[in-house]
Amino acid sequence: MSQNAKSTIDLGPLPELIGYVLRRAQLAVFQDFFAAFAPFEIRPAQFSVLTVIERNPGLTQSQVAGALGIKRTNFVGMLDELERRALAERRQTARDKRSYALYLTADGAALMRKLKPVLKAHESRMVGMLGEDRRDALITLLREIADANGSR
Amino acid sequence: MSQNAKSTIDLGPLPELIGYVLRRAQLAVFQDFFAAFAPFEIRPAQFSVLTVIERNPGLTQSQVAGALGIKRTNFVGMLDELERRALAERRQTARDKRSYALYLTADGAALMRKLKPVLKAHESRMVGMLGEDRRDALITLLREIADANGSR
């Protein structure tokens, strides 16, 4: 839809609502992420999970899901897919037979190395739009929102 | 997960990425929205669609979907549900038998009136966290991101 056609539609209170504008901005940034990471078939949430496993090998599923705010049911499906693609693996822990510790495979670690410049280029495009100072201001405001609501 | 356990997990570059922090903030705000609108079984995207139909009766499906940046396939399912619940309706247009014009039903219009104070209370909580000035700064930054990426 052209800018012109869009501007003739009355969005009412939506463009003034924090949630609506957050969602539009988030989708726009994810669009760039999708395009950049499509050749590797990695979506944003998968990248987050792989990052946390890479940085903290041996965490349990609930620890990783909890740190990222991902619902347990969604997380299980995500991990199944990463395991099927041999990027991450569940290992049974000696202490507790019902819980699994998560690790990257060698392939998963290699993929993460390949993704680093892709991530850097994506983030540069995002920061480039705003400039460093305004990016810092944005991150501060967003963290405040996430922390205030997350702690309820 | 407690704040303490969370802080011992290394999130690597994630907390510095615009997309990641945007997503966490967006989910936090939607969480509040979900809770407030749950008694009416209205999700954020449904609220947006009902708002645009209310403000612009007679638009086509692609106009509404386009204005909100919703994918056509997702939009059809959403509208099916709103129609099943008798909140909105498709009417065939005289000009083009293949395209439908969208309207709220009387029930849909009544629901939107009931939702106004619910929306106001939700938004007050969100603005209350930041204060008016910082809310304005945030909206400006977010719109810039959405517009820059959306125009690609």
Side-chain angles (χ1 to χ4, degrees):
Chain A
M1 165 158 294
S2 75
Q3 284 294 40
N4 192 39
K6 198 187 260 178
S7 66
T8 63
I9 293 176
D10 176 8
L11 297 178
L14 299 178
E16 295 297 325
L17 297 178
I18 291 177
Y20 177 80
V21 186
L22 262 175
R23 178 66 168 162
R24 295 302 300 250
Q26 177 257 313
L27 287 172
V29 171
F30 273 34
Q31 205 84 36
D32 185 278
F33 188 105
F34 290 139
F37 285 72
F40 308 95
E41 293 180 66
I42 291 291
R43 298 186 303 274
Q46 291 173 319
F47 181 80
S48 297
V49 169
L50 291 171
T51 298
V52 171
I53 298 176
E54 181 187 39
R55 296 267 171 164
N56 312 268
L59 287 186
T60 64
Q61 302 192 77
S62 23
Q63 283 176 310
V64 176
L68 293 171
I70 301 174
K71 280 183 202 148
R72 176 143 189 112
T73 45
N74 298 337
F75 188 77
V76 169
M78 287 181 58
L79 209 66
D80 286 347
E81 194 190 330
L82 294 174
E83 205 161 31
R84 190 181 47 71
R85 292 169 60 185
L87 298 173
E89 59 185 7
R90 296 168 167 106
R91 293 187 207 153
Q92 213 159 48
T93 59
R95 249 186 323 171
D96 179 356
K97 291 242 157 113
R98 290 159 311 168
S99 94
Y100 294 92
L102 305 179
Y103 297 88
L104 292 192
T105 62
D107 280 1
L111 176 65
M112 288 305 279
R113 279 191 295 276
K114 255 199 274 186
L115 293 180
K116 281 198 172 58
V118 182
L119 179 71
K120 209 178 158 186
H122 158 74
E123 194 62 17
S124 293
R125 286 191 295 277
M126 300 304 102
V127 176
M129 287 188 312
L130 298 173
E132 290 279 354
D133 285 357
R134 302 176 69 226
R135 173 235 170 248
D136 291 349
L138 177 66
I139 297 266
T140 303
L141 288 164
L142 293 174
R143 279 197 198 141
E144 217 165 297
I145 292 174
D147 291 348
N149 284 284
S151 64
R152 273 185 200 166
Chain B
M1 168 159 291
S2 76
Q3 285 293 40
N4 193 39
K6 197 187 257 175
S7 67
T8 62
I9 294 177
D10 176 9
L11 298 178
L14 300 179
E16 295 297 325
L17 299 178
I18 292 177
Y20 177 80
V21 186
L22 262 175
R23 179 66 168 162
R24 295 301 301 250
Q26 178 257 312
L27 286 173
V29 171
F30 272 35
Q31 206 83 38
D32 185 279
F33 188 105
F34 290 139
F37 285 73
F40 308 94
E41 292 179 68
I42 292 291
R43 297 185 304 274
Q46 292 174 318
F47 181 80
S48 296
V49 169
L50 291 171
T51 297
V52 172
I53 300 176
E54 180 187 40
R55 295 267 173 166
N56 313 267
L59 287 187
T60 65
Q61 300 192 75
S62 22
Q63 284 176 309
V64 177
L68 293 171
I70 301 174
K71 281 184 201 147
R72 175 142 188 111
T73 45
N74 297 337
F75 188 77
V76 169
M78 284 181 60
L79 210 66
D80 286 347
E81 194 190 329
L82 295 174
E83 208 161 28
R84 189 179 49 69
R85 291 170 61 185
L87 297 173
E89 59 185 7
R90 296 168 167 105
R91 294 188 207 154
Q92 216 160 46
T93 59
R95 253 184 324 170
D96 180 355
K97 291 239 158 115
R98 290 160 311 170
S99 94
Y100 293 92
L102 304 180
Y103 297 88
L104 291 192
T105 61
D107 279 1
L111 176 64
M112 288 304 279
R113 279 191 295 276
K114 254 199 275 188
L115 292 180
K116 281 197 172 61
V118 181
L119 179 72
K120 209 177 158 187
H122 158 73
E123 194 62 17
S124 293
R125 285 190 296 276
M126 299 305 102
V127 177
M129 285 188 312
L130 298 173
E132 290 280 354
D133 285 359
R134 303 176 70 225
R135 173 235 169 245
D136 291 350
L138 176 66
I139 296 266
T140 303
L141 289 163
L142 293 174
R143 279 197 196 142
E144 217 166 295
I145 293 174
D147 290 349
N149 284 284
S151 65
R152 273 188 199 163

